[in-house]
Each structure stands twice: as C-alpha cells, then as structure tokens.
Amino acid sequence: MATCDMSRSGDRGLTVWLTGLPGSGKTTSADYLLHDLEDAGVFSASLDGDALRVGVSADLGFSDADRDENVRRAGEVALLLASQGAVVVVSLVSPRRAAREAVRDRHLEQSITFLEVYVAAPLEVCEARDPKSLYRRAREGSLKHMTGVDDPYEPPLRPDLVLATDTAPPAETGSTLATAVRAIIRSA
C-alpha cells in the first residue's frame, strides 16, 4: 500500500468541499474519503455540517446571511487546518454559490488547493433517502427553511468533480473521490 505523507513540515494541505442537497450523500462520500486517507497515512480532518451547527455555528439560524456565515466559518476553519498540512474534508450543504466562491477565493489567496465536489442527486432521490426525516418534516410544515423545499440550492457551475450518487453506488463514488484527491496529493 502506498503512503502519501502530507504531514511533513512546510507541506500545504488542501480542502475538499463536498456540497449538495441534504441526503445527497455528502457525509457518506466524506467518510469514504477519510477512511481512504487514514489507510494511506495522510493527515486529514473532517468538518461536517451537522457538527458545525451544534458547535462553531450554534448561534446561527437559516437566513441567507446566517447560511453564508456558516459557510464562511467552515471555510476559515478548513483554511487554518489546510495551512497546517491537513487534507480537510468539508461536508456541508452550503446552498449559495457566492458563499462557496468566497471560500474558494480565500483558499486561493493563501495558495491552498480547494477542490469543490458537487454531490449530485435529484431532489426526489434525496427525499426518498431522507436519513434524518428532514424532508418529511419540511413537507409537513414543521421544519422551515429546508434547502431544496422552501429554500433554494444553487449547484456549482464549474465544480472540480461531480459525484452522481443517484446512479452510482457509494463505493464507486467514494473511490472516484479518493482517486481524485490522491492525484492532487501526489502532484503537490
């Protein structure tokens, strides 16, 4: 098994930003990648949207401004970790294109690689999966500001990678993601 060691002094990490509708497979894809990186001995870190919402962004709601601030905070934490050599895997709905672009710009300012991964699945597929019953609650009216239901999701216009999680099994999309990230690590 080959080892990719990005923990040496002076190495720059990178941020892998998984965006998509709730239930599209962001966390599943992130978990696959993180296991792959761990097996390869790569220094990595995970920033999951749900975990951020109960900690770093617990004071935020779901207005456009609050969603953008949540994305900004996640981006800044990812930037700090990547600047220390970590491969940072962010799984966050991040529904607004401009907020994601601002995070990319901050990474570019610091010469940190930013890989935007669109975890693509149609709304009806995400609703059928509904692992947290969010869509059901939104359709019943007990959950407001649900991305894809009563709040929009703006897909990336030019993502670095698209994972079609509605047509390919998790192992296949996870492998595609891991292969892409390992290629970036090797070229660094």
Side-chain angles (χ1 to χ4, degrees):
M1 168 177 24
T3 299
C4 301
D5 183 7
M6 291 192 62
S7 60
R8 297 181 313 268
S9 176
D11 283 346
R12 303 293 259 177
L14 67 110
T15 295
V16 180
W17 194 280
L18 294 102
T19 180
L21 286 168
S24 62
K26 296 177 300 299
T27 299
T28 300
S29 299
D31 288 347
Y32 188 99
L33 175 59
L34 288 160
H35 285 110
D36 183 83
L37 294 172
E38 181 181 331
D39 289 347
V42 176
F43 174 42
S44 58
S46 172
L47 297 177
D48 184 76
D50 292 337
L52 292 168
R53 279 286 183 177
V54 298
V56 171
S57 295
D59 61 322
L60 300 176
F62 291 91
S63 68
D64 286 348
D66 282 354
R67 287 176 186 265
D68 289 350
E69 176 61 14
N70 184 46
V71 169
R72 187 196 70 76
R73 289 178 187 181
E76 290 298 319
V77 172
L79 187 59
L80 287 169
L81 292 167
S83 70
Q84 298 301 309
V87 174
V88 185
V89 182
V90 180
S91 51
L92 186 66
V93 172
S94 46
R96 293 164 43 91
R97 202 175 288 127
R100 293 190 307 267
E101 287 301 318
V103 171
R104 178 190 294 273
D105 291 346
R106 283 283 295 140
H107 279 68
L108 293 176
E109 288 169 10
Q110 301 298 315
S111 300
I112 300 290
T113 300
F114 182 87
L115 181 74
E116 183 179 44
V117 179
Y118 178 33
V119 183
L123 178 61
E124 51 277 1
V125 170
C126 296
E127 281 197 70
R129 292 175 179 162
D130 204 11
K132 300 171 197 162
S133 298
L134 298 175
Y135 289 104
R136 179 186 54 77
R137 291 175 35 221
R139 297 291 184 198
E140 293 171 352
S142 64
L143 178 65
K144 302 293 183 201
H145 304 290
M146 175 65 182
T147 303
V149 176
D150 56 356
D151 270 2
Y153 175 78
E154 300 171 351
L157 296 176
R158 291 173 299 285
D160 301 299
L161 181 64
V162 176
L163 300 177
T165 60
D166 61 321
T167 59
E172 182 179 325
T173 56
S175 178
T176 298
L177 177 59
T179 298
V181 171
R182 278 189 261 113
I184 293 169
I185 292 169
R186 280 193 302 274
S187 70

